[in-house]
Amino acid sequence: MYSEKVMDHFKNPRNVGEIENASGVGTVGNAKCGDIMRIFLDIDADGIIKDVKFKTFGCGAAVATSSMATELVKGKTIQEALQVTNKAVMEALDGLPPVKVHCSLLAEEAIHAALWDYAEKNGIKIEGLKKPVNDISEEEEEEEY
Ligand code: FES
């Protein structure tokens, strides 16, 4: 039911972890299953994504799609990273079962949330980037844990 690439990224996920003093951090919740994903971005002065890490409380498909998404945005410009949609990630993984498509949204939304955080911290506007709807970073900060 899962492609070999999905299984590979699930078993050996790339870029798991966190980045201290990240340029941007995005945390999103999945509207469908309630799972959570956090993405850390390290962006240099030229707007290149030097490093990216993720942490998730999502399922295997969320792990695999996030792993692939981080591989796809690493070394890219912000504008290129915006093109890494959940569809692009699924294609790179040779597809996902239809019931798991919502899991792939977590990675895309968390990357957008992290870029949004980066833009806010630096007082800039990123062309084509909208405020992420499932961003839960603020709620979390209020909870203080
Ligand atoms: Fe929640 Fe896959 S079931 S991320």
Side-chain angles (χ1 to χ4, degrees), residues 48-120:
I48 307 288
I49 298 171
K50 289 300 216 196
D51 199 9
V52 46
K53 295 263 192 261
F54 80 93
K55 276 179 130 180
T56 185
F57 297 99
C59 67
V63 171
T65 48
S66 307
S67 168
M68 180 55 93
T70 54
E71 287 287 272
L72 292 175
V73 300
K74 209 184 225 180
K76 300 281 169 60
T77 64
I78 291 169
Q79 280 306 321
E80 285 167 340
L82 282 178
Q83 309 305 316
V84 177
T85 59
N86 76 307
K87 202 162 163 265
V89 172
M90 284 194 295
E91 276 170 16
L93 285 169
D94 296 335
L96 270 182
V99 292
K100 288 283 163 188
V101 170
H102 71 98
C103 314
S104 67
L105 281 169
L106 269 179
E108 177 190 320
E109 289 181 356
I111 289 169
H112 287 188
L115 287 171
W116 184 267
D117 181 45
Y118 165 77
E120 279 201 324

Side-chain angles (χ1 to χ4, degrees), residues 3-52:
S3 73
E4 272 177 33
K5 282 190 190 163
V6 172
M7 289 313 291
D8 176 33
H9 279 264
F10 169 57
K11 287 187 191 149
N12 309 296
R14 285 42 151 199
N15 309 308
V16 174
E18 30 189 300
I19 297 174
E20 257 182 67
N21 303 318
S23 318
V25 182
T27 310
V28 297
N30 194 312
K32 214 156 170 176
C33 61
D35 289 337
I36 291 172
M37 167 78 61
R38 181 170 296 159
I39 292 262
F40 303 80
L41 295 175
D42 180 16
I43 301 172
D44 74 7
D46 297 324
I48 307 288
I49 298 171
K50 289 300 216 196
D51 199 9
V52 46

Side-chain angles (χ1 to χ4, degrees), residues 120-134:
E120 279 201 324
K121 278 184 183 151
N122 291 277
I124 56 169
K125 197 175 176 313
I126 296 174
E127 199 67 40
L129 178 66
K130 294 197 194 81
K131 188 167 169 50
V133 274
N134 294 315

